[in-house]
Each structure stands twice: as structure tokens, then as C-alpha cells.
Amino acid sequence: MSGQNKHAHTIVGPRVYVAILFALLLGTALTVWASYVDLGFWNPIIALAIATGKAMLVVLFFMHVWYSTKLTKLTVVAGVFTFMILISMTLTDYISRAWGSW
Amino acid sequence: MSAGTIVTLPDQSTARIPKMNFLTKENGLLSWLLTGDHKRIATLYLISITFFFFIGGALAGLIRLELLTPQTSLMAADTYNKVFTMHGIIMIFFFLVPSVPATLGNFFIPMMIGAKDLALPKINLLSWYLYMAGGLLALYTMMIGGVDTGWTFTTPLSTHYVNTNVLTTGLAVFIAGFSSILTGLNFIVTIHKMRAPGMTWFRLPLFIWAHYAASILMVLATPVVAIAIVLVALERTLGIGVFDPTKGGDPLLFQHLFWFYSHPAVYIMILPGMGVISEVISTFSRKRVFGYTAVAFSSVAIAVFGFFVWAHHMFIMGISNYAVLVFSLLTMLVAVPSAIKIFNWTFTLYKGSITFETPMLYAFGFMGLFTIGGMTGVFLGSSGTDIHLTETYFIVAHFHFVMVGGMLMAFLAGIHFWWPKMTGRMYPEKISQLAAVVTFIGFNLTFFPQFILGMLGMPRRYASYPPEFQILNVFSTAGATILGVGYLLPVLYLIWSLKYGAIAGDNPWQATGLEWQTQSPPLTENFAVMPVMDHEAYDYEWLEKQQKEQGVASAE
Amino acid sequence: MQNSQIHAANSAPLAHEEHPSYLRHHFNSTEQQADAAGFAMWLFLLTEVMFFGGLFTAYLVYRNWYYPAFVSGSHQLNVVWGTTNTAVLILSSFTMAMGVWCAQTRRRRGLVLCLALTFFLGLVFLGIKTVEYREKIEKHHVPGFHYSLQSFLDPQSDPEVYKEYHDKALVPDMARHTELYFSLYFLMTGMHALHMIIGIGILGFMILRARAGAYTAGHETFVVNFGLYWHFIDIIWIYLFALLYLISRH
């Protein structure tokens, strides 16, 4: 509502940013290292998990979502959700095509 | 209030259009072309959308004329392909998608929630310019030879086999898509951040809920068709192979991406229309919409379910049987929120004081035709019957019942309903009631025979057909002629009413929305004093009380 | 006009405090204005997610169909360049975040420095990307332009890559599909680079405005929202790096 939700905008300071920077660089090193190790089935999953972890750090702290309103959090979730619909519902077709007809 | 009508007009001998309003605030072409006022942008949209509607309509006329006879008599088959393609592209991307949101939504969303403007006025203007750029590019394409892929740009036809102007048409749709994204984005921000004090979510008119749901679809679905079109363009020019089977690509992937937008797009088209119908039904039966919360959430449910059903356009295209099963089941779900709306509107009518002004006639038309259109959609969503019915005239009839019988009726209902507010003058009631009836008759005569044609197996998108189908096609063409008259009439009498219509006053319908509690046409800032919402939506008792108090005040 | 009286009795008290010059007429407070702009930016980023979403879907489908081709294709990418670029972009995200902090705490010189660093790091990223692209052009790995299968049919003809991964030769039918890998590589990184170029252009404009003190007088919305855009580009790259470079390096 207009001008009535006077939530204070938290200012995130350099300490948090430096910590996140190092976490991200560490994550990058980790994901490169993991790709050189043969984990078979788990390779892509670990790569994506690390990437998602890094992305979450960026979203939560660099983009301030951790400190934001529920609306902003919901917006981010809505984006991820719709993206997952696109991927998963498309894959229902591609995965089951190989099963042939019944 | 005389029997049979709720129209309450001011004394015509003394009433005047307020001198200061959004139309008279500034003069000159530039004051329109550089305006930030949502009402002026809505007016620009209204004019341009009507222009594109009549171009699309003329193309429809050509299609019906060609189909009058079984042979290809009026035009060559490939010309016919171009005509139905351009009809689809113009009607869908340049009329149906922006029709209600960009005109009525643009005009009334800020007014209904008690705001001075949309949150992003410059973005609003930009979206009109993008719309015009896209529209003119589409017209230019038509001039230089058109395109014949059908409005769906299906690969590999569009990427490998046609020699027509796929690229410019694609670019036109791409640009129009951005216009639609910006409109939707603007609406969501406005509805969240610009509401007047006291205007809680469950006091919002259902028109706002419907637009909110449609805007979510515009923002989240449109980018996917944008990237699909970019991929088609790159496939055509550079041969990147993403949709090219000879390089290992999958043409069906295009359809997945395309329908991920284009199925929700039909909800982008219909949801704002449903919002209009909620307002009209409530006003002309003098009752709060039955099951307000259910109707509000059914809009959101339609938007959410809309993302899960797109592959029902691809049942016979070669997707896996298992996916067909899943998508067929999910498709049935959409029928539920649509039915909630229809039933709740019907219950709103129950024991209401119904009057039959033009918007109400169109709303009745909507309810009947949309129900037929929606139910036949269930036939097409059932994977078994779809095999027989898809790519026939059944699907053409289904789509036109929903879009023309549904959306266009809602658009006309809305235009008539808010015309007094937009212009300060009433439309002539008798002739417009006639036009509504003519439209209804013409519509049914045009599209009902097409259901039968489809059941009999007449395929769509052909210029010629076996002679035994001719009689039904003649009906259809005759109906289209009547329908054309039905659409031409409003243009004529609405323009006439700009000068000669009765002065409407602030609230001719005795409606409850905030937009009716200010002058007509409104001020540039919409309200002289910032409104406060202190009652529920559709609260007719509140309105009576206000008017009584005001009567007392003016008598003193 | 008659109805304006309806609300005169119960209308909200209009704010009487002095309005800053950047408050636009249709907003009631600067807070509402900043909130609306920030929310609009997030919604715009949602459209970007879905825009890239189409490409990610295509990637996922073809990667599962033609996995060996995607592995061999990814071996043509240089991990050192890729990792360096990832670090450069993360660093630029950090400087951008610091820039936002400077704007919020009204440090004009700090802001200009941070924006300039971000600008510079963005250019470094694009420079490295150019080096990588040039290598692809030299090896004829650009789809549609005399695409060459040699590196995949006869891996030993490409000694630099071969000595590191010892890829087996792909059968011709699978080798053909490396073209699809490179299509997606150029599409995704190209679309990403396009966003970078737009971002760098806006950064240049912002540096000029920041030097004049435009963002350090309480109206930092533009910097904050641009920051969101820049971090979003970073996130896309984080995924592209994992998906395009690191498919399988062992």
C-alpha cells in the first residue's frame, strides 16, 4: 500500500560482500576440481549443485534478497518455479519418447 | 430510477462535460505522442487496436469469401495461405493480446485502485511505441508479400521450406511481445505498489484480479516465445541446427517453446475479458459478485494451470504417448476454474435486479458462447477425440467461440460499459442493443456450422474443399457478413456519440468502483482528492448511503 | 466533480513535507517510488530467466541425446580461460555490490571507483571471450560457417586438446552433433555477452552521472537496480560455466 509499509531498507556492508566474494571464488575452484574427478552419474549433479549454491549466495546477499520483503522473495521463487515447469514438463515428453508406444 | 433501466443521467439542459479533464489538459499532437498519462495512452491503444482489428477483419472476410465455393475461385492457394496467416498474426498479436489490457486495463486499473497513474508511465508509453513498431512491421510484411507459415511458425516449415517473409514477421511478433511484457510488468507493479489507502487485496474489483493473473502470464510466458522466434531466425539465416533434424535438432522443441507461451497466451487474451464480465454482471444485477473470493482465485488458478497444459497442442505431432496422457489429464484441470467463474456469474444473476443495457447483452453473449467454446475445448483436450478433431474446422470453431464469442464480446461489453466514463457521453442505447443482438446472431451463424464441418472432417487451412461441405460454408460466410455489420455499427455510433451522445455524468450505471466516483472524463490525476477505500467491492448499500448523504448535503 | 466531496471527509491527509526533486508526481513518497522501481526490476529479471530458460531447455535436451558429442565439444573449451573469466565476473559482481553500498552510504568517490572497476572487469571478461571466440573461428568450430569435424573424427590432429584428454574418435554420426553443442555454446555465451555489452554501456553512463554526484544524494535507486541486473548476468554465467565448460574433464 502506498507509503504505509515503511520497512527500513537494510544496508548490507562490505564485510558481508567480502565474505561472499571469497565463498564464490572457493565455489568456483571446487567446481573446477570436481569436474576433473570421475564421479560418474554424480558429476553433473555436483556441478549443478555447486552452481546453484553460488547463485543462491549472489541472489541472497549481493542482490539483498535475504534482507528483502516477502514480495521480493516470492518473486524470485516464482521465477525459479516457472523455469522448472518449462524444463520438467518439456522433459516429460523427451524422457518418455524412448519408451515407445504401449 | 425507472423500471427496466438503471441509467441515471444528469439533467441534460444544465449538465456540461467538465472543462478540465484529461482530454483537454493539453493540446497538440506532441502532447499525445509524448504523454505519460495512462488514460491518453489507453486512448492511443484503443485507436490503433481498432485499426488492426479491422485489417484482421478484412482478411477474415477474404477467407470467408474464398470458402464460399469449393474451388479456389477468388485467390490462388498460396495467396490464401498468406491471408489466413496474416489474419491469425494480426488478430492474435496485435488485437487479442493487447485488446482489453492495453485499452481498458490501462485506463481503469489505476482508477480502480485509486492511483494517479500506472507505476511506470514512461514504460507504458514505450510499450505503445513497441506495439506500433511491431504492428507496422507486420503490415509492411504484408505489403512486400506476406508470410504463409500459419501464425504458429511451425518448424521445419518456417525454417527450411517457405520462401516468404518469416524474418520480418518474426521480428514484428518479437517486438510486440516486448510491448506485452512491459504492459504486464507495469500492471503487476502498479497493483502491488500503488493501491489507495484501505484498498486491500480482497477489496479489489475482480477486473483487477483478472488483469493481475493475465499480467503474470505476460511476464513469465512471453520471453519464451521471444527466444523461440530468435532461434527460428538464426536457424533460417545461419542454420544453427537447433530445430533441424538433419543436424540432430528436434523441430518439436520449437513447438514446446512456442506453445509454452502460446497456450498461456489464450489466457492472457481471455482473463481480462473475464474481468470485464465480472464488473458488468455485478453492475447490471445490482449484486455483489457471488463467491468473490472464488472468482478472484479462479483467475490466479487459470494462470497457474495455464503453464501446465501446453502440449495438448501437440498430441498428434509425435510427442510421446505418456506425455500425451499427462498433458491431457492436466488440461481437464483448467476447466474447473473456468466453470467456477461461469457458475458464480450465474449465481450473481440469481435474484438480482437484472437490466438489459448493451454491456449486459454482450456479457450474456459471452457467458453462452464462452461456455460452448470452453466445453468443446475439453473435446480437444481429450487425447482420443483430439486425433479426430484436431486440424479440422472443429478447432477453428472452438478457438473462435472462445476468442471472438468470448473475448470480443467482453471487449465490446467493456467498451460500452466504460464509454461514458472515458468520453463523458453515453452511446445511443437502442441501436447498440441492436448491434449486440446482430453480433450474437452473426457470430453463431458463422462459427456454429464450423463445428459440424470439423466433425465431418473438413481440414482447416485449405483454400478448396469437397463440394458436399458447401452448404455449411455458405451459412458460415453469410454469418460472417452479418457479423461484419455487427462490428461496424459500434464504430459508427460510438464516433457519433462523441459529439451528440447524452451527457453521462459521473456515474450513469450507479456502479460502485472507484473509477465511477470521479468526474467523466476524469482529470489527468484521476481524483481531485486522494480516495480512501472504506468498503468492500460491489457494495451497493454503501453507494446508496453515499448518495443519500450527498443529497442531504446539496439540499442544505 | 460532485463526487469529489464524497472523499473529502475521509481522505488521507496529504503529505506536507518537502518533496525531493526526483519524486515523480504520481507517487506519494520516495519510498513508494523506490519500491515500485525495485519490484519492476525484479519482474524484468523474471522475464530474463524465462528468456534464457528456453536456451537451457534446448541445452538439456540435446546434451542428453548427444552426450559424447557434448563432452568432446566441451573439451575444446579452455578451462583456464573459463575459470579466469568466472573469477573476473564474480569480482565485478563484488565491485558492483560495493558500488551499491557506496551509493547507499553516500560515498561519491568510492562509487565512481567501484563503477569504474566494474566497467573495467566487464571489458576484461569480453576481451577473454573474444580470445576464446577467435580460437573457435580459427578451428572452424563455428556452426554454419564451414564447420569442421576434424577435431572429433581424428582427435590426434588437435594435439593441444588431445594431450590433455585423450579423447577417442567419435563415430561420424555422433561427431556431427558437436555442431549442435557449438550452436548452443555460441547462442548462450553470445546472448550472455550481449547482456554484458548492454550492461557496460549503462555503466559508462552511470560513471558520468556518479561523478556529478547524481546517486549519492539519497536517490540511489538506479544504481541498486542496475546492480540487480549485473548480478543476474553473473548468475547466468555461473551456470553457463558449469554446463558448457565442465561437462566432464576427467
Side-chain angles (χ1 to χ4, degrees):
Chain A
M1 254 152 290
S2 49
Q4 293 192 340
N5 48 351
K6 285 210 189 317
H7 54 84
H9 284 278
T10 321
I11 295 177
V12 188
R15 283 173 142 206
V16 177
Y17 290 149
V18 171
I20 299 299
L21 170 67
F22 282 106
L24 289 173
L25 291 176
L26 190 71
T28 307
L30 201 65
T31 189
V32 173
W33 174 76
S35 74
Y36 280 93
V37 184
D38 189 358
L39 301 163
F41 173 73
W42 291 98
N43 268 101
I45 293 175
I46 286 182
L48 281 178
I50 295 175
T52 305
K54 284 161 74 184
M56 276 178 74
L57 288 179
V58 175
V59 169
L60 290 177
F61 297 101
F62 279 0
M63 296 168 95
H64 306 162
V65 169
W66 184 268
Y67 313 92
S68 297
T69 54
K70 275 189 193 140
L71 177 62
T72 313
K73 291 185 175 111
L74 197 68
T75 311
V76 177
V77 173
V80 176
F81 180 69
T82 322
F83 174 63
M84 294 313 279
I85 298 175
L86 173 62
I87 297 255
S88 58
M89 295 304 285
T90 308
L91 287 187
T92 56
D93 172 23
Y94 284 96
I95 289 173
S96 58
R97 249 188 235 178
W99 301 350
S101 46
W102 40 42
Chain B
M1 208 183 290
S2 63
T5 179
I6 54 164
V7 179
T8 326
L9 297 180
D11 180 3
Q12 293 297 312
S13 55
T14 56
R16 291 282 175 277
I17 302 268
K19 269 219 182 63
M20 198 58 179
N21 62 46
F22 81 97
L23 294 165
T24 56
K25 173 102 190 251
E26 285 173 289
N27 284 318
L29 191 62
L30 274 186
S31 77
W32 283 88
L33 292 180
L34 299 176
T35 182
D37 182 0
H38 66 104
K39 298 177 288 299
R40 286 191 165 207
I41 296 169
T43 314
L44 291 174
Y45 259 121
L46 183 59
I47 296 166
S48 31
I49 276 171
T50 310
F51 169 72
F52 283 106
F53 172 71
F54 278 97
I55 290 185
L59 292 166
L62 287 177
I63 294 171
R64 281 320 318 167
L65 214 53
E66 167 59 49
L67 293 176
L68 195 58
T69 57
Q71 314 81 24
T72 52
S73 39
L74 182 66
M75 52 188 124
D78 56 342
T79 315
Y80 178 82
N81 291 349
K82 289 176 182 174
V83 170
F84 76 68
T85 300
M86 292 314 291
H87 166 70
I89 286 170
I90 287 183
M91 281 302 202
I92 285 173
F93 295 108
F94 300 101
F95 176 72
L96 286 167
V97 168
S99 60
V100 169
T103 57
L104 299 171
N106 223 335
F107 203 111
F108 290 107
I109 284 176
M111 297 190 68
M112 283 180 167
I113 64 174
K116 289 182 198 145
D117 204 328
L118 286 174
L120 312 161
K122 283 180 191 161
I123 298 281
N124 196 16
L125 184 64
L126 174 65
S127 93
W128 180 72
Y129 276 105
L130 286 175
Y131 168 81
M132 286 310 285
L136 294 177
L137 190 58
L139 286 187
Y140 168 75
T141 311
M142 203 162 78
M143 301 297 167
I144 61 170
V147 63
D148 59 355
T149 58
W151 75 277
T152 49
F153 299 107
T154 311
T155 52
L157 177 69
S158 61
T159 49
H160 289 82
Y161 297 111
V162 297
N163 304 317
T164 48
N165 305 290
V166 177
L167 291 180
T168 45
T169 322
L171 185 62
V173 172
F174 185 84
I175 295 172
F178 274 92
S179 156
S180 170
I181 288 176
L182 293 179
T183 304
L185 190 151
N186 216 338
F187 285 175
I188 296 180
V189 177
T190 306
I191 295 169
H192 269 283
K193 299 290 182 191
M194 306 291 281
R195 282 172 286 135
M199 182 61 89
T200 59
W201 280 90
F202 293 100
R203 283 178 175 175
L204 288 172
L206 291 166
F207 183 79
I208 304 287
W209 275 94
H211 272 81
Y212 185 73
S215 304
I216 291 175
L217 293 174
M218 289 186 213
V219 167
L220 288 172
T222 318
V224 181
V225 83
I227 188 71
I229 289 172
V230 169
L231 290 176
V232 165
L234 291 175
E235 181 76 66
R236 223 182 134 78
T237 48
L238 305 176
I240 54 170
V242 177
F243 300 137
D244 181 357
T246 62
K247 289 183 177 171
D250 181 19
L252 270 184
L253 181 64
F254 168 80
Q255 291 201 32
H256 277 298
L257 298 178
F258 181 82
W259 289 112
F260 182 86
Y261 164 75
S262 294
H263 190 74
V266 302
Y267 302 129
I268 294 175
M269 301 174 212
I270 197 72
L271 275 167
M274 290 170 157
V276 173
I277 299 303
S278 294
E279 300 299 309
V280 170
I281 296 262
S282 166
T283 302
F284 294 101
S285 46
R286 317 303 302 159
K287 268 180 72 190
R288 181 180 161 83
V289 174
F290 182 87
Y292 169 95
T293 323
V295 179
F297 279 120
S298 68
S299 292
V300 180
I302 289 177
V304 175
F305 292 168
F307 279 117
F308 287 91
V309 300
W310 77 81
H312 64 215
H313 295 266
M314 306 160 64
F315 282 170
I316 62 155
M317 303 293 178
I319 63 170
S320 88
N321 284 334
Y322 302 90
V324 169
L325 187 70
V326 171
F327 278 100
S328 184
L329 281 170
L330 288 170
T331 301
M332 303 301 158
L333 280 181
V334 187
V336 176
S338 312
I340 288 176
K341 281 183 188 292
I342 291 284
F343 286 135
N344 280 299
W345 289 328
T346 315
F347 282 124
T348 310
L349 295 172
Y350 179 67
K351 289 194 171 171
S353 320
I354 301 171
T355 52
F356 296 91
E357 282 81 4
T358 313
M360 192 61 158
L361 292 183
Y362 279 116
F364 282 140
F366 175 99
M367 284 173 70
L369 300 177
F370 176 79
T371 306
I372 297 177
M375 300 276 268
T376 49
V378 178
F379 293 29
L380 291 161
S382 313
S383 51
T385 42
D386 180 70
I387 296 169
H388 175 62
L389 295 174
T390 195
E391 300 293 336
T392 70
Y393 264 85
F394 192 88
I395 213 163
V396 177
H398 155 69
F399 189 68
H400 284 81
F401 261 75
V402 181
M403 287 299 132
V404 186
M407 183 57 191
L408 218 95
M409 290 278 178
F411 179 67
L412 287 168
I415 290 289
H416 285 87
F417 182 59
W418 280 295
W419 190 255
K421 180 51 68 184
M422 293 163 83
T423 63
R425 289 185 185 271
M426 297 298 290
Y427 58 84
E429 188 67 54
K430 282 277 169 302
I431 185 167
S432 55
Q433 282 172 325
L434 178 73
V437 173
V438 168
T439 310
F440 185 78
I441 294 171
F443 175 84
N444 277 296
L445 192 55
T446 313
F447 292 106
F448 205 85
Q450 296 186 3
F451 276 127
I452 305 168
L453 283 170
M455 295 288 280
L456 295 175
M458 176 170 161
R460 65 172 178 166
R461 295 183 168 174
Y462 285 92
S464 55
Y465 54 85
E468 67 258 35
F469 293 142
Q470 189 173 13
I471 180 70
L472 287 166
N473 274 300
V474 170
F475 278 137
S476 189
T477 302
T481 318
I482 300 174
L483 194 57
V485 175
Y487 291 145
L488 217 51
L489 277 174
V491 178
L492 299 177
Y493 65 70
L494 287 178
I495 291 174
W496 174 88
S497 78
L498 286 176
K499 196 155 166 56
Y500 303 104
I503 307 256
D506 291 356
N507 193 356
W509 310 125
Q510 304 300 303
T512 57
L514 281 183
E515 80 272 27
W516 297 105
Q517 318 305 327
T518 182
Q519 66 174 45
S520 337
L523 291 165
T524 303
E525 306 79 30
N526 293 341
F527 302 96
V529 184
M530 191 213 253
V532 173
M533 186 72 172
D534 53 5
H535 57 280
E536 303 303 309
Y538 313 113
D539 188 346
Y540 292 94
E541 283 170 18
W542 167 84
L543 187 75
E544 266 175 43
K545 221 175 84 196
Q546 288 292 335
Q547 284 172 338
K548 238 178 242 158
E549 274 170 26
Q550 212 182 318
V552 172
S554 60
E556 273 167 7
Chain C
M1 278 285 206
Q2 45 178 343
N3 278 328
S4 59
Q5 288 125 10
I6 290 181
H7 299 294
N10 52 9
S11 64
L14 292 171
H16 286 296
E17 72 238 49
E18 201 63 19
H19 288 315
S21 59
Y22 54 80
L23 180 64
R24 290 174 53 82
H25 73 95
H26 58 291
F27 290 110
N28 296 315
S29 65
T30 50
E31 191 152 42
Q32 186 190 25
Q33 176 168 313
D35 268 3
F39 186 41
M41 192 65 209
W42 274 107
L43 289 174
F44 172 72
L45 294 184
L46 284 201
T47 69
E48 290 277 21
V49 169
M50 296 312 292
F51 189 77
F52 279 98
L55 292 175
F56 280 109
T57 311
Y59 170 86
L60 207 60
V61 168
Y62 296 133
R63 176 192 157 123
N64 284 325
W65 277 3
Y66 310 124
Y67 184 69
F70 271 53
V71 171
S72 295
S74 76
H75 288 171
Q76 292 291 328
L77 305 188
N78 187 323
V79 180
V80 178
W81 281 133
T83 313
T84 315
N85 245 354
T86 310
V88 166
L89 208 54
I90 287 175
L91 208 59
S92 84
S93 240
F94 168 73
T95 55
M96 189 62 227
M98 288 301 292
V100 170
W101 176 73
C102 288
Q104 283 168 335
T105 52
R106 308 197 178 191
R107 292 172 159 82
R108 188 177 63 86
R109 292 178 60 188
L111 174 63
V112 174
L113 177 69
C114 285
L115 292 179
L117 276 173
T118 315
F119 184 86
F120 172 72
L121 289 168
L123 286 180
V124 170
F125 179 94
L126 288 178
I128 292 178
K129 206 77 232 148
T130 315
V131 173
E132 289 188 274
Y133 277 180
R134 196 166 64 197
E135 194 198 343
K136 302 287 161 302
I137 295 167
E138 280 164 3
K139 281 185 169 180
H140 292 287
H141 285 163
V142 183
F145 295 94
H146 308 289
Y147 185 76
S148 155
L149 293 177
Q150 206 192 2
S151 311
F152 310 105
L153 293 174
D154 178 17
Q156 293 179 24
S157 70
D158 197 348
E160 267 179 56
V161 177
Y162 184 75
K163 73 174 191 295
E164 214 166 319
Y165 301 104
H166 301 287
D167 280 336
K168 289 197 189 77
L170 295 170
V171 294
D173 201 37
M174 186 52 81
R176 283 192 315 126
H177 297 320
T178 52
E179 190 172 357
L180 216 47
Y181 169 81
F182 281 108
S183 284
L184 286 164
Y185 167 76
F186 278 105
L187 266 170
M188 294 167 105
T189 57
M191 208 63 88
H192 178 263
L194 182 68
H195 281 79
M196 295 280 300
I197 292 167
I198 294 169
I200 287 171
I202 299 174
L203 267 170
F205 164 78
M206 278 165 66
I207 291 169
L208 294 180
R209 298 253 302 145
R211 288 180 58 174
Y215 306 119
T216 36
H219 186 41
E220 72 274 4
T221 316
F222 194 87
V223 181
V224 175
N225 287 342
F226 177 80
L228 294 179
Y229 174 77
W230 194 258
H231 299 314
F232 170 79
I233 299 175
D234 190 20
I235 290 174
I236 292 289
W237 180 259
I238 287 173
Y239 280 99
L240 291 187
F241 179 57
L243 293 176
L244 293 171
Y245 286 76
L246 304 177
I247 295 181
S248 165
R249 288 280 169 182
H250 43 268

